[in-house]
Amino acid sequence: MPRELSLAEIFQLGYYWETKILLTAVRLDIFSALDGKRKILSEVAVCLGAHAQTLGLLLNALVAMRLLDKDGDSYGNSTAAATQLVRNSPQYIGHLLLLHDAEWDNWGKLEQTIRTGQRSVDRHVFETDPELGTNVLAVLHRIGQQSGPDFAKRLQLSGPVRLLDLGGGAGTNAIAFCQVYPDLTATVFDLSATLRLTERTVKEAGLESRISLLPGDFNKDGLGGPYDVALMSDVLHYQDFSTNAALVKRVLAHLVPGGQLVIKDRFLNEAGTGPAWTTAFAVHILVNTERGGCYKTTDAMQWMKSAGFSTVTELEPSAAVQGVKAREE
Ligand SMILES: C[S@@+](CC[C@H](N)C(=O)[O-])C[C@H]1O[C@@H](n2cnc3c(N)ncnc32)[C@H](O)[C@@H]1O
C-alpha cells in the first residue's frame, strides 16, 4: 500500500497559485523583457505596457519562485529563466506553457463535465490556433530527441526498411530511426500545416534524401506505401475508440506481408489507476478534446486483432504495442 498523504501534501496538491503566476509571466513575456539587461520595476512596466504597482507583486513572487532575482531595485532573470523562458533562446519552452494557459478555461469546466458527462470543447486548441500547435510540436521535438534513438533501437530492425511515421509531427521519430538504422527510409504523414515544421527539422538533421513528407488526413486520405513498419506515436489519444480501430485497419492494408505496426502511446494500466502521470493526462484529454481518450494496451491490441494482424504483442507496458501482418494473405 502507498503511504498516506500528509496534510501538507494534500494542500500542495490543491495549490495552483504559482502555476498561474508562471503562466501569466510567460504570457506577458516578462523574461524576454529582462533578457540581457536588469531593469527596475517602472522600466519593466513600460516595456510590457503594464500597471507598475500590480506588476511589482508578480515580479516579487517570481523572485521567490527563483525565476527572477532582485538586487536593490533591479530585477534580472535567473539562469534557468534566461535559458528556457526568453523567447529568442534556442531552448525556449514557453510555447508549452502557453498551451497550458490556453487550456486554463477548459479546466474550469471540469466540474460541469464530470457532472454531466458532456465535453465542453468542440475543437482542440491545435485546431483553433495552429501556430501555437506547431510551436508546441517544436518544443516536444527538442525534448523527444533524447529518447527517440533508444526507442528505435528497441525494435531491432535491419536492412532497407521503409517506415511510415503516421501523424509524425516534427519528424522526431523518423529522424531518430534514420539515425539508428543507416539503410532505413521514412515517410512522415501529417497535416500539411504541421509538415511545414517537419520540413525544417528534417533539413536541420540533413535527412532530406531519406525522409519524405506526405500531407493529408490519415483518417481519409491514401497513406502511400507499401511499408515494412508503420509507427503511430502519440496520435491516438486525440481520437475516439472506433476511429482508432478503423485507422489501425487502414494501416494494415498499407503494410507488406510480414510488416509491422507499432503504436506508442500513454496507455493506462488495466485498473486505470496508473501510471500516475497518465491518469491526470486522461483527465486533461477529457477537458481539452472533443472525443479523445486515454486507452489501455489491451484496447490497442484489440484494434490490431480486429483489423487482422496475426501476431499482437505488448512491447513495453503502458507504452508500446506491436502487431505483425501475416506473411501469407
Ligand atoms: C502529439 S503529436 C505526435 C507527433 C509525433 N508522432 C511524436 O510522437 O512526436 C500528434 C500529431 O498528429 C497529427 N495529426 C492529428 N490528426 C491528424 C490527422 N487526422 N491526419 C494526419 N495527422 C494528424 C498532428 O498534426 C500532430 O503532428
Side-chain angles (χ1 to χ4, degrees):
M1 280 289 283
R3 83 176 165 78
E4 288 294 329
L5 286 174
S6 68
L7 180 59
E9 285 168 326
I10 293 173
F11 276 130
Q12 191 60 39
L13 284 173
Y15 176 66
Y16 56 82
W17 302 343
E18 289 181 341
T19 303
K20 191 58 175 167
I21 289 169
L22 168 61
L23 299 182
T24 304
V26 175
R27 275 188 74 89
L28 291 168
D29 210 9
I30 287 174
F31 306 102
S32 301
L34 290 169
D35 184 30
K37 189 172 183 296
R38 303 188 69 82
K39 290 191 172 90
I40 60 169
L41 175 58
S42 58
E43 291 173 318
V44 187
V46 169
C47 200
L48 302 178
H51 182 265
Q53 201 181 345
T54 45
L55 175 64
L57 297 175
L58 198 76
L59 296 187
N60 287 339
L62 292 165
V63 171
M65 288 159 65
R66 293 177 293 156
L67 289 162
L68 298 182
D69 66 54
K70 191 174 186 182
D71 186 4
D73 283 342
S74 81
Y75 293 91
N77 283 325
S78 68
T79 306
T83 315
Q84 264 123 39
L85 297 174
V86 170
R87 249 178 200 275
N88 61 11
S89 162
Q91 281 131 60
Y92 182 67
I93 53 128
H95 298 302
L96 206 49
L97 301 176
L98 290 171
L99 172 66
H100 295 328
D101 200 61
E103 293 167 339
W104 184 266
D105 287 348
N106 295 341
W107 279 99
K109 296 173 190 148
L110 177 59
E111 178 189 346
Q112 187 194 334
T113 303
I114 301 291
R115 284 191 187 281
T116 63
Q118 304 296 315
R119 310 255 183 143
S120 51
V121 300
D122 54 8
R123 292 171 79 205
H124 187 258
V125 65
F126 277 13
E127 291 171 83
T128 53
D129 189 348
E131 190 187 335
L132 177 60
T134 307
N135 287 335
V136 168
L137 277 176
V139 173
L140 294 177
H141 173 63
R142 239 188 10 253
I143 299 170
Q145 273 171 317
Q146 284 140 31
S147 57
D150 282 346
F151 176 68
K153 278 179 205 155
R154 234 168 287 149
L155 294 191
Q156 300 186 339
L157 305 174
S158 61
V161 169
R162 290 157 297 177
L163 170 78
L164 168 65
D165 188 4
L166 203 58
T172 320
N173 288 301
I175 291 170
F177 274 71
C178 282
Q179 287 164 344
V180 170
Y181 302 109
D183 297 327
L184 179 144
T185 50
T187 300
V188 177
F189 186 103
D190 209 299
L191 304 170
S192 57
T194 307
L195 290 182
R196 285 200 285 274
L197 166 70
T198 323
E199 201 174 346
R200 278 208 315 271
T201 54
V202 168
K203 200 165 174 206
E204 272 162 26
L207 287 166
E208 301 102 305
S209 62
R210 291 173 58 202
I211 299 181
S212 52
L213 309 182
L214 190 54
D217 177 335
F218 51 47
N219 293 314
K220 296 189 193 133
D221 299 320
L223 306 178
Y227 302 99
D228 303 293
V229 180
L231 174 66
M232 293 201 278
S233 164
D234 280 337
V235 293
L236 297 183
H237 47 248
Y238 294 109
Q239 309 202 114
D240 62 30
F241 192 96
S242 60
T243 308
N244 287 338
L247 180 57
V248 167
K249 195 165 182 176
R250 298 190 76 216
V251 172
L252 179 73
H254 291 78
L255 288 173
V256 295
Q260 60 173 297
L261 165 64
V262 176
I263 301 179
K264 183 171 172 287
D265 219 291
R266 327 283 166 143
F267 294 113
L268 288 164
N269 63 16
E270 273 310 299
T273 55
W277 185 89
T278 309
T279 62
F281 183 64
V283 182
H284 157 80
I285 289 289
L286 172 75
V287 292
N288 289 300
T289 70
E290 188 188 355
R291 277 187 280 265
C294 262
Y295 302 98
K296 299 174 180 166
T297 47
T298 46
D299 294 326
M301 292 166 85
Q302 187 186 325
W303 299 329
M304 289 179 169
K305 283 177 192 156
S306 311
F309 281 89
S310 65
T311 316
V312 176
T313 14
E314 184 180 59
L315 278 184
E316 214 180 300
S318 296
V321 172
Q322 177 191 53
V324 178
K325 182 172 177 172
R327 289 200 177 271
E328 299 296 323
E329 292 277 297

